[in-house]
Every structure is written in C-alpha cells, then in structure tokens.
Amino acid sequence: MFSITVAAVVFGVVFLAELPDKTALAGLMLGTRYRASYVFVGVAAAFALHVGLAIAAGSVLTLLPHRLLQAIVGVLFLGGAAMLLFKKDDDEEEMRKPADQSFWKVSGAGFTLILIAEFGDLTQIMTANLAARYDDPLSVGVGALLALWAVAGLGIVGGRTLMRYVPLRLITRIAALVMLALAGFSLYEAIAA
C-alpha cells in the first residue's frame, strides 16, 4: 500500500542530500549547453535505474532480523551524515560535449554521465537504507525518484539562480542533520526493541 507520509519523508531526505551533489552540478552544466528537455530525459532515465537498484538492495536487507537491520541502517545513516559533513567540495568536472545536439546524443550523454556518477552514491545508499527501514518499496521508490528528478530539474533549469540565494554549505548541513536524526531513530529502535 502506498504511503504519502513515507514518500514525503524520503523525498525530503533524498532531495536535501542530492542538492549539494556533483550530479546536480553536472545537470546544471549540461542544461546550460544543451536543450533542457533532452538532458532531463537522459538524466531521469538514469535516476530511475539507480532507484530501482537501490530499492532491490533495500528489500533484501528487510530479510534480516529487525534489531540487526535497525542497527545496520543506523550505522549506514551515520556514515552518510559523516560523508556529508566532512566531504570536500568537488570541483566541476569537464564533460565531453556530444558531437551534435540531437535528442539521442544529448539524452545519451546525460544518461551516461548520471549512470556512472551516481553508482554507489550517497543518495543511492540512502534510498536502499530507507527501503529497508520502512519496508515499503513503492513509497520509498516514488519519494526518492521524485526527489532526484526535482533536483535534476532544478539543476538543469534553474541551478544558477538557486545557488545564488541558498548556500550549498547550508543545504549540506541540513541534509546531514536529517540523516543524523534518522540514524538516531534507527539505533534507538535497535537497542529498545
């Protein structure tokens, strides 16, 4: 059964964690060079594949005993928060420009870039953790996918404006605090259960 509450929580966590990520900057760079709709199609398809893989991994984790699962999820959230708090700012990477502006070339470039850059990324790991925590693959998948698509859309269309008004460091800190709270809840459930 679909839970709007779970989807909303997942959306918020994944959205905040993905905003300071290098893939948002990559989407921004592609969006400034190429037709935004072409870029978005490729990026959206890559994110859909990543969310599917993360949901599958999270569903496997739910087979573990509840206390052990909560302890693992809590530790992974702590690790994710530490990654956000202590990571160095990434320099924008140079991207290869497709030879032409055709739909397939541009969307293919976006798909390939995100597919490679996001594999094993923090938000993919978080999505797997959230799928395990809530044992609701549909709600978690919808929330995560919509969050990733929203960040991609913001990056492609309006990233420069957003970054002018909202400091990246603040967004990163908020995402880390949310992950610390989720880690605390998971570890509490592991100990108290």
Side-chain angles (χ1 to χ4, degrees):
M1 186 131 164
F2 183 77
S3 168
I4 292 176
T5 303
V6 170
V9 168
V10 171
F11 179 91
V13 170
V14 172
F15 183 86
L16 287 172
E18 187 65 20
L19 267 180
D21 197 62
K22 64 186 174 288
T23 53
L25 295 174
L28 169 66
M29 290 174 62
L30 285 172
T32 59
R33 295 179 184 176
Y34 307 112
R35 188 176 206 164
S37 60
Y38 292 4
V39 173
F40 185 77
V41 168
V43 168
F47 277 135
L49 179 60
H50 278 290
V51 168
L53 292 172
I55 294 298
S59 296
V60 169
L61 287 176
T62 62
L63 301 175
L64 296 173
H66 182 71
R67 290 182 94 169
L68 178 60
L69 173 64
Q70 292 306 324
I72 290 170
V73 168
V75 168
L76 289 173
F77 274 130
L78 280 176
M83 284 175 60
L84 282 175
L85 288 171
F86 300 115
K87 80 174 187 170
K88 295 180 182 174
D89 295 331
D90 294 326
D91 294 331
E92 293 181 15
E93 298 174 13
E94 274 302 308
M95 288 175 282
R96 224 176 59 197
K97 186 174 182 174
D100 61 48
Q101 295 276 333
S102 74
F103 171 80
W104 293 109
K105 294 282 185 183
V106 173
S107 61
F111 179 84
T112 303
L113 177 68
I114 298 302
L115 186 69
I116 293 167
E118 282 292 302
F119 201 78
D121 193 59
L122 175 64
T123 51
Q124 189 177 32
I125 294 167
M126 284 176 46
T127 301
N129 288 345
L130 290 164
R133 173 164 177 64
Y134 291 111
D135 195 17
D136 186 354
L138 178 62
S139 303
V140 170
V142 167
L145 191 57
L146 290 177
L148 293 168
W149 287 354
V151 171
L154 283 173
I156 292 166
V157 176
R160 284 185 181 160
T161 304
L162 177 66
M163 295 305 170
R164 213 178 299 152
Y165 297 108
V166 181
L168 198 56
R169 175 167 266 159
L170 175 64
I171 295 166
T172 303
R173 298 287 186 240
I174 291 170
L177 288 174
V178 170
M179 289 184 70
L180 284 172
L182 287 169
F185 290 135
S186 295
L187 292 173
Y188 173 77
E189 284 184 7
I191 295 168

